[in-house]
Amino acid sequence: MPTPKFSPEDILECARSIRPSLPSLLGSDATQVDQQLADLLAQAQAGESVDTQILELLKSNPNTFQWIKEFLSSAQVSRGFERLPGGSGAVPAQKYVCPQGDYVWYRRSVGISVPTCPTHGELIPDQGA
C-alpha cells in the first residue's frame, strides 16, 4: 500500500507541534530528538526541503510514529478539544507559535501556563488561527 502524500507544510506543522509532547513520548531520548527537529526546522526556514527527513526521524520510534499518524490523519483532534458527549467535532484550542517558526503549542485549558520555545525561548499567540 503506498504511503499517503502530505504537503511539506503539513509535515513541518507536525514537526513543530510534536515538540512539546516529546518528553512524554520519548523520555530521556526527547532532548536529542527535539534538537534534531529544531535543526531540521531551521533548515526548512532556510529554504531546504527536509520533510522526508522529518518523517523518517518521527517514524523511527513507535510512540512518535503513532503521534504523527494521528496528527496527519484527516480525523485528528490534537489541535483542539473533544466536545462533550452529544456534541460534534473538535473545539479549537488557542495556538501559540515560536516567532522563528520551529515550535507550536496548543493551549487546551486556560489554567495551563504557556511554555517557552526550547530553541528560542518565546511563544506568542498565533494571529492566523
Side-chain angles (χ1 to χ4, degrees), residues 21-76:
S21 300
L22 290 174
S24 64
L25 294 170
L26 299 176
S28 62
D29 294 332
T31 302
Q32 179 185 6
V33 173
D34 185 61
Q35 185 58 56
Q36 289 175 293
L37 283 175
D39 292 345
L40 289 167
L41 289 164
Q43 291 173 29
Q45 287 287 94
E48 295 180 40
S49 177
V50 296
D51 48 314
T52 301
Q53 293 166 281
I54 289 170
L55 284 178
E56 287 174 7
L57 174 63
L58 296 176
K59 285 180 174 181
S60 68
N61 179 283
N63 293 335
T64 55
F65 181 59
Q66 186 60 39
W67 194 97
I68 66 171
K69 279 178 39 179
E70 191 274 325
F71 186 90
L72 293 171
S73 162
S74 60
Q76 72 89 17

Side-chain angles (χ1 to χ4, degrees), residues 10 13 17 71 76-81 91-94 106 108:
D10 287 341
E13 183 69 8
S17 298
F71 186 90
Q76 72 89 17
V77 295
S78 62
R79 295 180 233 182
F81 303 96
V91 176
Q94 175 65 49
Y106 292 88
R108 297 176 184 268

